[in-house]
């Protein structure tokens, strides 16, 4: 098949890990006879430097015309001035909104060989295989009004947490659809004992569940869900929650896998087009050193093949190659400082594993 893929390398280690994932996609294209066209566009701090805009119109236009988008990471100390009018993160939030990507899927799967890389005890980690479905275009990240104003001797700042029934229904439905293909359990996470928006969330989730008799729904408050994620993580199958809770819980869940560097994500909307990115950030401290873990981005490329291009055999080939590379003992420094393979070595091992299957 022919597919048009936009690459958004962004900042920090973004360009290095996106280059790795591109090599993997090129290897897949060669091996399986596809033609992938790549188009690289600006986002984040790199876009601010070049155009003074974290999300140039040309980037949005290219992404809207693409079959899929692969993103590295945005942000860094250079653009961190709290009084700055534009921030790299606005680029990321803007592209999610422009592409109407309301659901962010973050699969958290444990590679048995990496069990010792996690600070948690092996017996807690056994059997961990969960999917975080995070609402991505609503909630406190986007609610209006938001402002800062003078107040007495100091200031006052306001953010707004709002949800509509429609916004909750579409993401919760997706969580149920996913649960149907897995172990048939949805945990809806909220703060319904305090927040009005969470009470609506819980009401809507209960309603949606009626259409999925084969799936079990449980509700859990976000604070106790945070605790259960590290005390009994294997009891989760699909966890669905609002934007900010999902942001926080998915970083927490990443600890289960040994490194934030391992986790991919897929952001999806109504159609097939999606945006794929590792869940880690731009890691400015190691940028340009060639030591970043490329596997979160490579696994994101696998999700891209699966969800946006419908190429499940090819996606399986990438997943298998990553598993093999881990089994062979290749580890970047985030997983094992004593080994410290380079980004290039790990990428090459994945490419070799794909060519040999
Ligand atoms: C993430 C990140 C982003 C978010 C930031 C960079 C805006 O933390 O993708 O999880 O909060 O959504
Ligand atoms: Mg985050």
């Amino acid at each position: 098949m022919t597919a048009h893929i936009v690459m958004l390398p962004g900042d920090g280690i973004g360009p290095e890990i996106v280059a790795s994932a591109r090599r993997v996609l090129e290897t897949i294209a060669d091996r399986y006879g596809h033609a992938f066209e790549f188009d690289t566009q600006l986002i984040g701090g790199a876009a601010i430097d070049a155009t003074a805009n974290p999300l140039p119109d040309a980037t949005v236009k290219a992404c809207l015309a693409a079959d899929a988008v692969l993103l590295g990471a945005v942000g860094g100390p250079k653009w961190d001035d709290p009084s700055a009018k534009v921030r790299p993160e606005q680029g990321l939030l803007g592209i999610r909104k422009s592409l109407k990507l309301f659901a962010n899927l973050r699969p958290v799967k444990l590679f048995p060989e990496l069990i010792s890389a996690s600070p948690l005890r092996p017996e807690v980690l056994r059997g961990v295989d969960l999917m975080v479905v995070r609402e991505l275009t609503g909630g406190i990240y986007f609610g209006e009004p938001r402002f800062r104003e003078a107040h007495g001797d100091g200031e006052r700042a306001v953010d707004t947490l709002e949800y509509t029934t429609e916004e909750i229904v579409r993401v919760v439905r997706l969580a149920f659809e996913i649960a149907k293909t897995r172990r048939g359990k949805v945990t809806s996470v909220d703060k319904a004992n305090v927040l009005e928006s969470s009470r609506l969330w819980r009401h809507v989730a209960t309603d949606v569940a009626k259409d999925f008799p084969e799936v079990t729904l449980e509700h859990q408050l976000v604070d106790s869900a945070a605790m259960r994620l590290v005390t009994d993580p294997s009891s989760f199958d699909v966890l669905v929650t609002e934007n900010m809770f999902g942001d926080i819980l998915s970083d927490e869940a990443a600890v289960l896998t040994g490194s934030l560097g391992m986790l991919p994500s897929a952001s999806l909307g109504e159609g097939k087009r999606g945006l794929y990115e590792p869940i880690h950030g731009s890691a400015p401290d190691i940028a340009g050193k060639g030591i970043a873990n490329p596997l979160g981005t490579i696994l994101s490329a696998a999700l891209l093949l699966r969800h946006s291009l419908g190429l499940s055999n090819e996606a399986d080939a990438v997943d298998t190659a990553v598993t093999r590379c881990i089994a062979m003992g290749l580890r970047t420094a985030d997983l094992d400082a004593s080994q410290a393979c380079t980004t290039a070595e790990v990428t090459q091992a994945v490419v070799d594993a794909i060519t040999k299957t």
Side-chain angles (χ1 to χ4, degrees):
M1 75 178 295
T2 303
H4 188 71
I5 303 170
V6 167
M7 305 298 232
L8 303 176
D11 309 317
I13 58 171
E16 300 163 55
I17 54 179
V18 164
S20 291
R22 176 171 174 160
R23 268 205 71 204
V24 169
L25 287 170
E26 282 166 351
T27 308
I28 288 289
D30 278 354
R31 174 89 172 66
Y32 292 84
H34 302 301
F36 297 159
E37 293 159 17
F38 298 98
D39 172 14
T40 301
Q41 297 285 338
L42 290 166
I43 195 165
I48 293 176
D49 287 351
T51 70
N53 178 354
L55 185 62
D57 292 346
T59 299
V60 177
K61 206 169 153 220
C63 292
L64 283 168
D67 295 304
V69 181
L70 187 72
L71 184 137
V74 297
K78 184 174 175 194
W79 308 280
D80 250 356
D81 175 4
S83 62
K85 283 214 171 52
V86 285
R87 297 185 54 91
E89 290 77 8
Q90 292 164 344
L92 182 55
L93 300 183
I95 196 69
R96 289 172 178 167
K97 195 78 172 174
S98 306
L99 300 180
K100 301 191 171 72
L101 305 170
F102 61 80
N104 182 224
L105 275 44
R106 299 187 164 185
V108 179
K109 208 180 127 216
L110 193 67
F111 290 86
E113 297 87 352
L114 295 181
I115 228 165
S116 62
S118 170
L120 296 176
R121 287 198 308 275
E123 61 269 29
V124 174
L125 294 172
R126 210 157 289 131
V128 166
D129 180 4
L130 64 103
M131 173 75 88
V132 177
V133 180
R134 168 189 175 193
E135 200 290 324
L136 202 59
T137 49
I140 200 163
Y141 272 52
F142 293 95
E144 297 287 347
R146 55 170 58 223
F147 60 87
R148 229 168 116 168
E149 64 182 14
H151 186 78
D153 289 339
E155 286 179 277
R156 175 172 169 257
V158 172
D159 292 288
T160 301
L161 171 43
E162 66 171 321
Y163 271 109
T164 63
T165 301
E166 187 199 355
E167 284 174 317
I168 303 169
V169 166
R170 61 189 183 187
V171 69
V172 171
R173 280 201 87 82
L174 182 65
F176 274 89
E177 293 290 352
I178 294 170
K180 264 190 355 193
T181 69
R182 296 173 48 101
R183 301 196 304 282
K185 183 172 161 192
V186 170
T187 307
S188 173
V189 172
D190 61 39
K191 188 73 185 172
N193 53 347
V194 177
L195 300 176
E196 208 54 62
S197 58
S198 280
R199 283 192 277 274
L200 177 63
W201 184 284
R202 193 174 277 220
H203 173 78
V204 171
T206 306
D207 223 33
V208 169
K210 292 180 189 142
D211 294 340
F212 297 87
E214 66 279 55
V215 176
T216 317
L217 168 68
E218 64 175 5
H219 302 281
Q220 187 162 28
L221 297 173
V222 63
D223 46 354
S224 67
M227 190 175 79
R228 180 170 155 211
L229 259 180
V230 284
T231 51
D232 190 16
S234 62
S235 64
F236 288 102
D237 180 15
V238 176
L239 187 164
V240 64
T241 190
E242 66 97 36
N243 203 343
M244 190 165 68
F245 296 161
D247 178 47
I248 297 167
L249 292 180
S250 57
D251 269 32
E252 187 192 4
V255 174
L256 305 169
T257 66
S259 171
L260 201 54
M262 293 300 298
L263 281 205
S265 84
S267 301
L268 306 174
E270 292 298 347
K272 281 201 154 252
R273 185 182 51 233
L275 179 141
Y276 301 83
E277 55 176 316
I279 85 151
H280 62 72
S282 60
D285 51 324
I286 59 163
K289 295 189 178 158
I291 59 169
N293 185 347
L295 294 179
T297 318
I298 290 172
L299 291 168
S300 301
L303 291 175
L304 181 158
L305 292 166
R306 197 180 301 282
H307 293 286
S308 283
L309 308 187
L311 300 174
S312 48
N313 288 339
E314 288 82 340
D316 289 345
V318 175
D319 287 342
T320 307
V322 169
T323 305
R324 206 171 286 177
C325 166
I326 292 290
M328 276 162 48
L330 281 107
R331 308 273 188 275
T332 39
D334 53 312
L335 292 170
D336 182 353
S338 68
Q339 273 223 34
C341 292
T342 63
T343 310
E345 285 164 344
V346 171
T347 307
Q348 189 60 47
V350 174
V351 165
D352 288 345
I354 293 170
T355 352
K356 282 179 199 134
T357 45

